[in-house]
Every structure is written in structure tokens, then in C-alpha cells.
Amino acid sequence: SKDELNFYSGITYSATFLVMAIISPFWGKLADRKGRKLMILRASLGMAIVIGLMGAVTNIYQLIILRLLQGIFSGYVSNSNALIATETPKEHSGKALGILITGNVTGTLFGPLFGGFVAANFGYRITFVITGVILLIVFLLSVFFVHESFVPVEKSQMKSAREIFSTLPNRRIIIGMLFTTMLIQLGNFSISPILSLYIRELMNYHGPVTIVSGIIASLPGFSTLFAAPRLGALGDKVGTERILMFGMIAAALIYLPMAWVTNVWELGILRFLIGITNAALLPAVQALLAKNSPTAATGRIFSYNQSFQA
């Protein structure tokens, strides 16, 4: 039924993020001790295997279990952020993280376009297999082309989370950014599980719903692709806080009309505009975290950020 479809879509989608929220601080602590490159290798190889196996499931419960396992192998993006934050001079961190977020957000939003095309032409299962292969390529690229100048933190010198936050010079900013991340993702992802169902209703249950859903879901990627590096660099000049405020206000004004659209074209235009706000919001948060985090705790602070994001 429609209710069951909505419920299980939400549960399956959310399962990964539930585990990610719990386990991310553990991976962040390990990253500060062993290095961020090791963590991105662990994440990419683990996800390649788990997502590839999703193409072989025979019922919804197996899929939910694999989605839970996917959360265990999460952390590629958060450790990439920490790696960039520690390897880049603070005065250029906004631009650098803006470029990195461009890859992250654009991949997230172009993915449905690619997945919708593959699913429409070859079926759902082969989409998971191809995604697993792509992540295996990510693993190999990370092995050979990602380099890190890492000084490990000795286990005896590792501070607890309470000690880290009690000694941070800009504690209020960092805690504020963690909650800001949670609110941004709550807004962005609350519609993700039901977007294709909404599009199906707008199309009156006729036509190439899978392909149109992929296009509509991916439209923000086009605007994010061009806007994120530019807004990141602008934030380094005029103040990252101003860019964040602009993104918050603009996102609210763009999301509200989506509830009253009457066709997919109107929804597509608003989704394109929301990509500009995506380019302003998360890069600004990441830049403020990078500029206010001590090097020895960067991995854990970015992992806490991923927990709030999840």
C-alpha cells in the first residue's frame, strides 16, 4: 500500500544514518590516532562491498540490514573534510572546502540522475552492482593519489570528548555549527525518501517517472557545481557567517513554495535554486569548523559533525 511504501522507504533510507550517527565519533577518534587516509580507504572499500551486495537481496529486511552495515562503513566524506582542513592553510580553508563540498553535494545530487537512467534501462539490481564498482574505483584512486602529512596523536595524549570541548577557545561556535548542520540536513533530507513519490503524483502516475525523478533530484547539482567554490572563496573575503545567513534565509524562501507546485517543471526550477543554497550552507559550516578546530582534534570534531549530519 501507499502507507507501507512510504514507511519502508523512510526506514530503509534512514537505517544508514542511524548507525552513522552512533559510530562516527569512534572513527573520528581512530582517525586522529591513525590518520585520515586510512579511514577513507576503510570507508570506500567497505561501502563497495556492502552496496554491491544490495543487488542480490531477496526481501526488504535483508536490504535494511545491509543499509545498517553501510552506516558502519561510513565516514569517507567527514574524513575527507578533516584531511582538507588539516592540510590547507586556515585562510584558504573556505575555498578548499567549497571545492570539496562541490564534489560531495554534486555527486549526491547527480547520483539519482545516473541511477534513474540505469534503473529504467537495466533494472534496480544492476544499479547497486555498478555503484559498488564505482566505489571500488574510489578506493583505488584514494590508495594511489591521496597523500597525507600526518603526525599521529599518541593514545596516552588523546583527550576525551568532554576535555576537548571544555578546552576549545571557540566552543560556542563549534557547538553552534554542529546543531546548524543537523538543521540543514533535516531540511534537505526530510523530502528525499518521498521526492519520487511526490513526482509520481504530479505526473498523475503516467510517463517515465524513474527518469524524471532522477532529473529533478539532480537539478540542484548543476547550480551547486558552479556556486560552491565561488561562495566558499567569497566567504573567505566577506565572512563565512554572512554566507551562512544568506543560505539559511534563501533556503527557507525556496522550500516553502515546493508544497504548492502543480507540475514537475515548477518543482524543477525550485530544486535548481535550492542547489545555490546547498552551495552556501554546508561549505560555510565546514569552513567555520576548520577555522576554529585545533589540529589534534580535527578528526573527532568533523566526526561529531557527521553524527549531527546523520
Side-chain angles (χ1 to χ4, degrees):
S1 70
K2 180 180 177 181
D3 287 343
E4 288 176 322
L5 184 59
N6 282 324
F7 176 75
Y8 282 110
S9 293
I11 290 293
T12 307
Y13 195 87
S14 302
T16 296
F17 301 104
L18 170 67
V19 176
M20 191 187 301
I22 297 169
I23 204 167
S24 289
F26 168 77
W27 292 131
K29 188 174 183 179
L30 195 61
D32 284 335
R33 284 187 55 210
K34 302 294 184 180
R36 286 96 202 185
K37 179 175 178 177
L38 182 64
M39 291 298 101
I40 67 175
L41 296 179
R42 181 265 310 162
S44 54
L45 182 60
M47 285 193 298
I49 296 170
V50 170
I51 293 178
L53 289 174
M54 289 181 190
V57 299
T58 57
N59 59 59
I60 183 67
Y61 305 106
Q62 293 174 359
L63 183 60
I64 291 173
I65 289 170
L66 286 173
R67 287 284 293 173
L68 290 167
L69 286 174
Q70 186 181 339
I72 293 176
F73 292 107
S74 63
Y76 192 97
V77 173
S78 65
N79 282 288
S80 298
N81 288 329
L83 182 62
I84 293 293
T86 53
E87 298 285 319
T88 306
K90 297 286 185 183
E91 63 270 18
H92 299 299
S93 57
K95 181 179 181 180
L97 287 164
I99 294 171
L100 183 65
I101 290 289
T102 302
N104 175 25
V105 176
T106 305
T108 301
L109 297 169
F110 275 129
L113 179 62
F114 174 72
F117 173 81
V118 174
N121 289 277
F122 303 102
Y124 290 118
R125 293 183 183 275
I126 196 67
T127 311
F128 289 101
V129 175
I130 291 174
T131 303
V133 172
I134 291 172
L135 286 165
L136 184 60
I137 294 171
V138 171
F139 169 75
L140 295 174
L141 289 171
S142 301
V143 169
F144 295 109
F145 294 104
V146 174
H147 304 286
E148 179 182 20
S149 303
F150 179 69
V151 179
V153 179
E154 295 298 329
K155 189 173 183 179
S156 59
Q157 297 176 335
M158 293 287 289
K159 296 181 179 179
S160 67
R162 180 177 296 180
E163 290 174 320
I164 289 175
F165 281 97
S166 64
T167 58
L168 283 173
N170 299 307
R171 179 175 55 184
R172 292 180 63 183
I173 293 176
I174 290 176
I175 293 174
M177 288 304 99
L178 295 180
F179 281 98
T180 300
T181 294
M182 183 175 69
L183 291 172
I184 291 169
Q185 294 302 83
L186 182 63
N188 277 338
F189 286 95
S190 61
I191 65 167
S192 293
I194 54 106
L195 183 61
S196 59
L197 304 177
Y198 189 37
I199 291 168
R200 188 172 65 175
E201 287 186 3
L202 291 173
M203 295 177 66
N204 296 315
Y205 300 88
H206 296 295
V209 174
T210 307
I211 293 177
V212 173
S213 296
I215 293 172
I216 297 296
S218 301
L219 277 172
F222 289 97
S223 46
T224 301
L225 178 65
F226 297 104
R230 290 167 176 80
L231 289 173
L234 183 63
D236 288 333
K237 294 179 180 178
V238 303
T240 307
E241 297 88 347
R242 292 182 179 179
I243 300 297
L244 183 60
M245 186 65 69
F246 156 77
M248 285 284 192
I249 295 171
L253 294 175
I254 294 168
Y255 264 117
L256 285 172
M258 288 187 191
W260 292 285
V261 296
T262 57
N263 57 65
V264 292
W265 301 109
E266 293 171 355
L267 182 62
I269 291 170
L270 292 171
R271 291 281 296 169
F272 181 84
L273 293 175
I274 211 68
I276 299 175
T277 68
N278 286 335
L281 291 171
L282 287 178
V285 170
Q286 306 284 14
L288 285 169
L289 286 174
K291 291 174 180 177
N292 292 279
S293 300
T295 301
T298 300
R300 273 190 284 178
I301 288 174
F302 273 92
S303 71
Y304 297 141
N305 189 59
Q306 185 173 41
S307 288
F308 277 78
Q309 186 172 331

